[in-house]
Amino acid sequence: MAIRIAVAGKGGTGKTTFAALMIRYLIENRRGSILAVDADPNANLNEALGVKVERVIADILDATKNPRTVPQGMSKDMFIQYQLAQALVETKGFDLLTMGRPQGPGCYCYPNDLLRKHLETLSANYDYMIIDSEAGLEHISRRVIQDVGILFVISDASVRGIRSAGRVRELVQELQLGIPKMYLVVTKITGDPGPLKEEIERTGLPVAGFVPYDEQVVTFDAHGRPLFELPSDSPIVQVVTSILNKCLI
């Protein structure tokens, strides 16, 4: 079964950037095959990775609520499994699944159960599953994605961000998700992070590292360039590499 690593945090903290650079790290260090899962409703991991997504899981699950979408002679189970397989974007270095927007009203227990089984079967073909989640950990909390081994909680260098990271840890404990390793990564550092020390300690999360503000990230975003292609001497690439060398042993 794939080693499952999730990245969570509120919007704008650099969460997706960290997830993309982790995928790049695994590829460059030949750590094995990778399934990337964009589980953030505001899906943009594909943009950070430089790939195009045609179909998202949420649209497939919506379609299952209309029986007319199932072709004659094909069972509903077979149809959903086929559609889920079509949503996988395959590249040379990694494969990508995009969950899409939050689900609308109605019961999704049945398609979610199929999605869970599909991900279990799919993950058996990979060495790593990298999950770009949001702070609410929706797919993890609903057990659609299970057995996460490492969770990186991303916060920017603000008191509000650090407190949000602390709430992610509290959520993991309240839901008894049983994630054995959790780390805090503080991003967009422009000076001494010392004033944040007390807030960081209150989260109860061990600090994996402090990532500096990197103007190149802003430039890449402004020009629509994939963050996956940041130069190796970029400060953010170097620090993320150092963090992963320490945490992914």
Side-chain angles (χ1 to χ4, degrees), residues 30-94:
R30 302 180 185 276
R31 297 291 288 266
S33 54
I34 304 162
L35 173 63
V37 179
D38 192 343
D40 189 335
N42 182 26
N44 58 8
L45 179 60
N46 68 299
E47 295 174 0
L49 295 172
V51 298
K52 188 176 181 179
V53 170
E54 300 286 350
R55 309 195 68 185
V56 300
I57 299 296
D59 291 341
I60 295 170
L61 298 188
D62 278 344
T64 65
K65 298 182 77 68
N66 182 0
R68 295 180 181 177
T69 62
V70 181
Q72 288 187 347
M74 180 179 287
S75 71
K76 190 174 182 180
D77 283 18
M78 290 176 60
F79 175 69
I80 295 175
Q81 293 286 5
Y82 172 76
Q83 294 293 317
L84 291 174
Q86 294 299 303
L88 184 69
V89 177
E90 298 177 286
T91 78
K92 183 178 180 180
F94 60 89

Coordinates of all heavy atoms in Angstrom, one line a residue, residues 30-94:
R30 N 14.1 9.8 -6.8 CA 13.7 8.4 -7.3 C 13.1 7.6 -6.1 O 13.5 6.4 -5.9 CB 14.9 7.7 -7.9 CG 15.5 8.5 -9.1 CD 16.7 7.8 -9.7 NE 17.3 8.5 -10.7 CZ 17.0 8.6 -12.0 NH1 15.9 7.8 -12.4 NH2 17.6 9.3 -12.9
R31 N 12.2 8.2 -5.4 CA 11.6 7.5 -4.3 C 10.5 6.5 -4.7 O 10.0 5.8 -3.8 CB 11.1 8.5 -3.3 CG 12.1 9.4 -2.7 CD 13.1 8.7 -1.8 NE 12.4 8.4 -0.5 CZ 12.5 9.1 0.6 NH1 13.1 10.3 0.6 NH2 11.9 8.7 1.7
G32 N 10.1 6.5 -5.9 CA 9.1 5.5 -6.3 C 7.9 6.2 -7.1 O 7.9 7.4 -7.3
S33 N 6.9 5.4 -7.4 CA 5.8 5.9 -8.2 C 4.8 6.8 -7.3 O 4.7 6.5 -6.1 CB 5.0 4.8 -8.8 OG 4.6 3.8 -7.8
I34 N 4.2 7.8 -7.9 CA 3.4 8.8 -7.1 C 2.0 8.9 -7.6 O 1.8 9.2 -8.9 CB 4.1 10.1 -7.1 CG1 5.6 10.0 -6.6 CG2 3.4 11.2 -6.3 CD1 6.5 11.1 -7.1
L35 N 1.0 8.9 -6.7 CA -0.3 9.3 -7.1 C -0.6 10.6 -6.3 O -0.6 10.6 -5.1 CB -1.3 8.2 -6.6 CG -2.8 8.6 -6.8 CD1 -3.2 8.9 -8.2 CD2 -3.7 7.5 -6.2
A36 N -0.8 11.7 -7.0 CA -1.2 12.9 -6.4 C -2.7 13.1 -6.4 O -3.4 12.8 -7.4 CB -0.6 14.1 -7.2
V37 N -3.3 13.5 -5.2 CA -4.7 13.6 -5.1 C -5.0 15.1 -4.7 O -4.5 15.5 -3.6 CB -5.3 12.6 -4.1 CG1 -6.8 12.9 -3.9 CG2 -5.0 11.2 -4.5
D38 N -5.7 15.8 -5.5 CA -6.0 17.2 -5.1 C -7.4 17.1 -4.5 O -8.4 17.0 -5.1 CB -6.1 18.1 -6.4 CG -6.2 19.6 -6.0 OD1 -6.6 19.8 -4.8 OD2 -6.0 20.4 -6.8
A39 N -7.4 17.1 -3.1 CA -8.6 17.0 -2.3 C -9.1 18.4 -1.8 O -10.0 18.4 -0.9 CB -8.4 16.0 -1.2
D40 N -8.6 19.4 -2.3 CA -9.0 20.8 -1.9 C -10.1 21.2 -2.9 O -9.9 21.2 -4.1 CB -7.8 21.7 -2.0 CG -8.1 23.1 -1.4 OD1 -9.3 23.5 -1.4 OD2 -7.1 23.8 -1.0
P41 N -11.3 21.6 -2.3 CA -12.3 22.1 -3.2 C -11.9 23.2 -4.1 O -12.4 23.3 -5.3 CB -13.4 22.6 -2.2 CG -13.2 21.8 -1.0 CD -11.7 21.7 -0.9
N42 N -11.0 24.1 -3.7 CA -10.4 25.1 -4.6 C -9.2 24.5 -5.3 O -8.0 24.8 -5.0 CB -10.0 26.3 -3.7 CG -9.4 27.4 -4.6 OD1 -9.8 27.5 -5.8 ND2 -8.5 28.2 -4.0
A43 N -9.5 23.6 -6.2 CA -8.4 22.7 -6.8 C -7.5 23.5 -7.7 O -8.0 24.1 -8.7 CB -9.1 21.6 -7.5
N44 N -6.2 23.5 -7.4 CA -5.2 24.1 -8.3 C -3.9 23.4 -8.3 O -2.9 24.0 -8.7 CB -5.1 25.6 -8.0 CG -4.7 25.9 -6.6 OD1 -4.3 25.0 -5.8 ND2 -4.7 27.2 -6.2
L45 N -3.9 22.2 -7.7 CA -2.6 21.5 -7.7 C -2.1 21.2 -9.1 O -0.9 21.3 -9.4 CB -2.8 20.2 -6.9 CG -1.5 19.3 -6.9 CD1 -0.4 20.0 -6.2 CD2 -1.8 18.0 -6.1
N46 N -3.1 21.0 -10.0 CA -2.7 20.7 -11.4 C -1.9 21.9 -12.0 O -1.0 21.7 -12.8 CB -3.9 20.4 -12.3 CG -4.8 21.5 -12.4 OD1 -5.4 22.1 -11.5 ND2 -5.1 22.0 -13.7
E47 N -2.3 23.1 -11.7 CA -1.6 24.3 -12.2 C -0.2 24.4 -11.6 O 0.7 24.7 -12.3 CB -2.4 25.5 -11.8 CG -3.8 25.6 -12.5 CD -4.6 26.8 -12.0 OE1 -4.1 27.6 -11.2 OE2 -5.8 26.9 -12.5
A48 N -0.1 24.1 -10.3 CA 1.3 24.1 -9.7 C 2.2 23.0 -10.4 O 3.4 23.2 -10.4 CB 1.2 23.9 -8.2
L49 N 1.6 21.9 -10.8 CA 2.3 20.8 -11.4 C 2.5 21.0 -12.9 O 3.2 20.2 -13.5 CB 1.6 19.5 -11.1 CG 1.6 19.1 -9.6 CD1 0.7 17.8 -9.5 CD2 3.0 18.8 -9.1
G50 N 1.7 21.9 -13.5 CA 1.8 22.1 -14.9 C 1.1 21.1 -15.8 O 1.5 20.7 -16.9
V51 N -0.1 20.5 -15.3 CA -0.8 19.6 -16.1 C -2.3 20.1 -16.2 O -2.8 20.8 -15.4 CB -0.8 18.2 -15.5 CG1 0.6 17.6 -15.4 CG2 -1.4 18.1 -14.1
K52 N -3.0 19.6 -17.2 CA -4.4 20.0 -17.5 C -5.3 18.9 -17.0 O -5.1 17.7 -17.2 CB -4.6 20.2 -19.0 CG -5.9 20.8 -19.3 CD -6.0 21.1 -20.8 CE -7.4 21.7 -21.2 NZ -7.5 22.0 -22.6
V53 N -6.4 19.3 -16.3 CA -7.4 18.4 -15.8 C -8.7 18.5 -16.6 O -9.2 19.6 -16.7 CB -7.6 18.6 -14.3 CG1 -8.8 17.8 -13.8 CG2 -6.4 18.2 -13.5
E54 N -9.2 17.4 -17.1 CA -10.4 17.5 -17.9 C -11.6 17.1 -17.1 O -12.7 17.6 -17.3 CB -10.3 16.5 -19.1 CG -9.2 16.8 -20.1 CD -9.5 18.0 -20.9 OE1 -10.6 18.5 -20.9 OE2 -8.5 18.5 -21.6
R55 N -11.5 16.2 -16.1 CA -12.6 15.7 -15.3 C -12.2 15.6 -13.9 O -11.1 15.3 -13.5 CB -13.0 14.3 -15.8 CG -13.2 14.1 -17.3 CD -13.9 12.8 -17.6 NE -15.3 12.9 -17.1 CZ -16.1 11.8 -17.2 NH1 -15.7 10.7 -17.7 NH2 -17.4 11.9 -16.7
V56 N -13.2 16.0 -13.0 CA -13.0 15.9 -11.6 C -14.0 14.9 -11.0 O -15.1 14.7 -11.5 CB -13.1 17.3 -10.9 CG1 -12.1 18.3 -11.5 CG2 -14.5 17.8 -11.1
I57 N -13.6 14.3 -9.8 CA -14.4 13.3 -9.2 C -15.8 13.8 -8.8 O -16.8 13.1 -9.0 CB -13.7 12.8 -7.9 CG1 -12.3 12.2 -8.3 CG2 -14.6 11.8 -7.2 CD1 -12.4 11.0 -9.2
A58 N -15.9 15.0 -8.4 CA -17.2 15.6 -7.9 C -18.3 15.5 -9.0 O -19.4 15.2 -8.8 CB -17.1 17.0 -7.4
D59 N -17.8 15.8 -10.3 CA -18.8 15.7 -11.4 C -19.3 14.3 -11.7 O -20.4 14.1 -12.0 CB -18.1 16.3 -12.7 CG -17.9 17.8 -12.6 OD1 -18.6 18.5 -11.7 OD2 -17.1 18.3 -13.3
I60 N -18.3 13.4 -11.5 CA -18.7 12.0 -11.7 C -19.7 11.5 -10.6 O -20.7 10.8 -10.9 CB -17.4 11.1 -11.6 CG1 -16.5 11.4 -12.8 CG2 -17.8 9.6 -11.6 CD1 -15.2 10.8 -12.8
L61 N -19.5 11.9 -9.4 CA -20.4 11.5 -8.3 C -21.8 12.2 -8.5 O -22.8 11.6 -8.2 CB -19.8 11.9 -6.9 CG -18.5 11.3 -6.5 CD1 -18.1 11.6 -5.1 CD2 -18.5 9.7 -6.8
D62 N -21.8 13.4 -9.0 CA -23.0 14.1 -9.3 C -23.8 13.3 -10.3 O -25.0 13.2 -10.3 CB -22.8 15.5 -9.8 CG -22.6 16.5 -8.6 OD1 -22.9 16.1 -7.5 OD2 -22.1 17.6 -8.9
A63 N -23.1 12.9 -11.3 CA -23.8 12.2 -12.5 C -24.4 10.9 -12.0 O -25.4 10.4 -12.6 CB -22.7 11.9 -13.6
T64 N -23.9 10.2 -11.0 CA -24.4 9.0 -10.5 C -25.8 9.1 -10.0 O -26.6 8.1 -9.8 CB -23.5 8.3 -9.5 OG1 -23.5 9.1 -8.3 CG2 -22.1 8.1 -9.9
K65 N -26.2 10.3 -9.6 CA -27.6 10.6 -9.0 C -28.7 10.5 -10.1 O -29.8 10.5 -9.8 CB -27.6 11.9 -8.3 CG -26.6 11.9 -7.1 CD -26.7 13.1 -6.3 CE -27.9 13.2 -5.4 NZ -27.8 12.2 -4.3
N66 N -28.3 10.6 -11.4 CA -29.2 10.5 -12.5 C -29.1 9.2 -13.2 O -28.1 8.9 -13.9 CB -28.9 11.6 -13.5 CG -29.9 11.6 -14.6 OD1 -30.8 10.8 -14.7 ND2 -29.7 12.6 -15.6
P67 N -30.0 8.3 -13.0 CA -29.9 6.9 -13.6 C -29.8 6.9 -15.1 O -29.3 5.9 -15.7 CB -31.2 6.2 -13.1 CG -32.1 7.3 -12.7 CD -31.3 8.4 -12.3
R68 N -30.2 8.0 -15.7 CA -30.2 8.0 -17.2 C -28.7 8.1 -17.7 O -28.5 7.9 -18.9 CB -31.0 9.2 -17.7 CG -32.5 9.1 -17.4 CD -33.2 10.3 -17.9 NE -34.7 10.2 -17.6 CZ -35.5 11.1 -17.9 NH1 -35.1 12.3 -18.6 NH2 -36.8 11.0 -17.6
T69 N -27.8 8.5 -16.9 CA -26.4 8.6 -17.3 C -25.7 7.2 -17.5 O -24.7 7.1 -18.1 CB -25.6 9.4 -16.3 OG1 -25.6 8.8 -15.0 CG2 -26.2 10.8 -16.2
V70 N -26.3 6.2 -16.9 CA -25.7 4.9 -16.9 C -26.1 4.2 -18.2 O -27.3 4.0 -18.5 CB -26.1 4.0 -15.7 CG1 -25.5 2.6 -15.8 CG2 -25.8 4.7 -14.4
P71 N -25.2 3.8 -19.1 CA -25.5 3.2 -20.4 C -26.3 1.9 -20.2 O -26.0 1.2 -19.2 CB -24.2 3.0 -21.1 CG -23.3 3.9 -20.4 CD -23.7 4.0 -19.0
Q72 N -27.1 1.5 -21.1 CA -27.8 0.2 -21.0 C -26.8 -0.9 -21.1 O -25.9 -0.8 -21.9 CB -28.9 0.1 -22.1 CG -30.1 1.0 -21.9 CD -31.2 0.7 -23.0 OE1 -30.9 0.0 -24.0 NE2 -32.4 1.2 -22.7
G73 N -27.0 -1.9 -20.3 CA -26.1 -3.1 -20.3 C -25.0 -2.9 -19.4 O -24.1 -3.9 -19.4
M74 N -24.8 -1.8 -18.7 CA -23.7 -1.6 -17.8 C -24.3 -1.3 -16.4 O -25.2 -0.5 -16.3 CB -22.8 -0.4 -18.3 CG -21.7 -0.1 -17.3 SD -20.6 1.3 -17.9 CE -19.8 0.5 -19.3
S75 N -23.7 -2.0 -15.4 CA -24.2 -1.8 -14.1 C -23.7 -0.4 -13.6 O -22.8 0.1 -14.1 CB -23.7 -2.9 -13.1 OG -22.3 -2.7 -12.9
K76 N -24.4 0.1 -12.6 CA -24.0 1.4 -12.0 C -22.6 1.3 -11.4 O -21.8 2.3 -11.6 CB -25.0 1.8 -10.9 CG -24.8 3.2 -10.4 CD -25.9 3.6 -9.4 CE -25.8 5.0 -9.0 NZ -26.9 5.4 -8.0
D77 N -22.3 0.2 -10.8 CA -20.9 0.1 -10.2 C -19.9 0.1 -11.3 O -18.9 0.8 -11.2 CB -20.8 -1.3 -9.5 CG -21.4 -1.2 -8.1 OD1 -22.3 -0.3 -7.9 OD2 -21.1 -2.1 -7.3
M78 N -20.1 -0.6 -12.4 CA -19.1 -0.6 -13.5 C -19.0 0.7 -14.1 O -17.9 1.2 -14.5 CB -19.6 -1.7 -14.6 CG -19.5 -3.1 -14.1 SD -20.2 -4.2 -15.4 CE -19.1 -3.8 -16.8
F79 N -20.1 1.4 -14.3 CA -20.1 2.8 -14.9 C -19.3 3.7 -14.1 O -18.4 4.5 -14.6 CB -21.5 3.3 -15.0 CG -21.6 4.7 -15.6 CD1 -21.3 5.0 -16.9 CD2 -22.0 5.7 -14.7 CE1 -21.3 6.3 -17.4 CE2 -22.1 7.0 -15.2 CZ -21.7 7.3 -16.5
I80 N -19.5 3.7 -12.7 CA -18.8 4.6 -11.9 C -17.3 4.3 -11.9 O -16.4 5.2 -12.0 CB -19.3 4.6 -10.4 CG1 -20.7 5.2 -10.4 CG2 -18.4 5.4 -9.5 CD1 -21.4 5.1 -9.1
Q81 N -16.9 3.0 -11.8 CA -15.5 2.6 -11.8 C -14.9 3.1 -13.1 O -13.7 3.5 -13.1 CB -15.4 1.1 -11.6 CG -15.9 0.6 -10.3 CD -14.9 0.9 -9.2 OE1 -13.9 1.6 -9.4 NE2 -15.2 0.4 -8.0
Y82 N -15.6 2.9 -14.2 CA -15.0 3.3 -15.5 C -14.8 4.8 -15.5 O -13.7 5.3 -16.0 CB -16.0 2.9 -16.6 CG -15.6 3.5 -18.0 CD1 -14.6 2.9 -18.7 CD2 -16.3 4.6 -18.5 CE1 -14.2 3.4 -20.0 CE2 -15.9 5.1 -19.8 CZ -14.9 4.5 -20.5 OH -14.5 5.0 -21.7
Q83 N -15.8 5.6 -15.0 CA -15.6 7.1 -15.0 C -14.5 7.5 -14.1 O -13.7 8.5 -14.5 CB -17.0 7.7 -14.6 CG -18.1 7.5 -15.5 CD -17.9 8.2 -16.8 OE1 -17.5 9.4 -16.8 NE2 -18.2 7.6 -17.9
L84 N -14.4 6.9 -13.0 CA -13.3 7.2 -12.1 C -11.9 7.0 -12.7 O -11.0 7.8 -12.5 CB -13.4 6.4 -10.8 CG -14.6 6.8 -9.8 CD1 -14.7 5.8 -8.7 CD2 -14.5 8.2 -9.3
A85 N -11.8 5.9 -13.4 CA -10.5 5.6 -14.1 C -10.2 6.6 -15.2 O -9.1 7.0 -15.4 CB -10.6 4.2 -14.7
Q86 N -11.3 7.1 -15.8 CA -11.1 8.2 -16.9 C -10.6 9.5 -16.3 O -10.1 10.3 -17.0 CB -12.4 8.4 -17.6 CG -12.8 7.2 -18.5 CD -11.8 6.8 -19.5 OE1 -11.4 7.6 -20.4 NE2 -11.3 5.5 -19.5
A87 N -10.9 9.7 -15.0 CA -10.5 11.0 -14.4 C -9.0 11.0 -14.0 O -8.5 12.1 -13.6 CB -11.3 11.2 -13.1
L88 N -8.3 9.9 -14.1 CA -6.9 9.9 -13.7 C -6.1 10.5 -14.8 O -6.1 10.1 -16.0 CB -6.5 8.4 -13.5 CG -5.0 8.2 -13.0 CD1 -4.8 8.8 -11.6 CD2 -4.6 6.7 -13.1
V89 N -5.3 11.5 -14.5 CA -4.3 12.2 -15.4 C -3.0 11.5 -15.2 O -2.4 11.5 -14.1 CB -4.2 13.7 -15.2 CG1 -3.2 14.3 -16.1 CG2 -5.6 14.3 -15.3
E90 N -2.5 10.9 -16.3 CA -1.2 10.2 -16.2 C -0.1 11.0 -16.8 O -0.2 11.5 -18.0 CB -1.3 8.8 -16.9 CG -2.4 7.9 -16.3 CD -2.5 6.6 -17.0 OE1 -3.1 6.6 -18.1 OE2 -2.1 5.6 -16.5
T91 N 1.0 11.1 -16.1 CA 2.2 11.8 -16.7 C 3.4 11.0 -16.5 O 3.3 9.9 -15.8 CB 2.4 13.2 -16.0 OG1 3.1 13.0 -14.7 CG2 1.1 14.0 -15.8
K92 N 4.5 11.4 -17.0 CA 5.8 10.6 -16.9 C 6.2 10.4 -15.4 O 6.7 9.4 -15.0 CB 6.9 11.3 -17.7 CG 8.2 10.5 -17.7 CD 9.2 11.2 -18.5 CE 10.5 10.4 -18.5 NZ 11.6 11.1 -19.4
G93 N 6.1 11.5 -14.6 CA 6.6 11.4 -13.2 C 5.6 11.1 -12.2 O 6.0 10.6 -11.1
F94 N 4.3 11.3 -12.4 CA 3.3 11.1 -11.4 C 1.9 11.0 -12.1 O 1.8 11.4 -13.3 CB 3.2 12.3 -10.4 CG 3.0 13.6 -11.1 CD1 1.7 14.1 -11.3 CD2 4.0 14.4 -11.6 CE1 1.4 15.3 -11.9 CE2 3.8 15.6 -12.2 CZ 2.5 16.0 -12.4

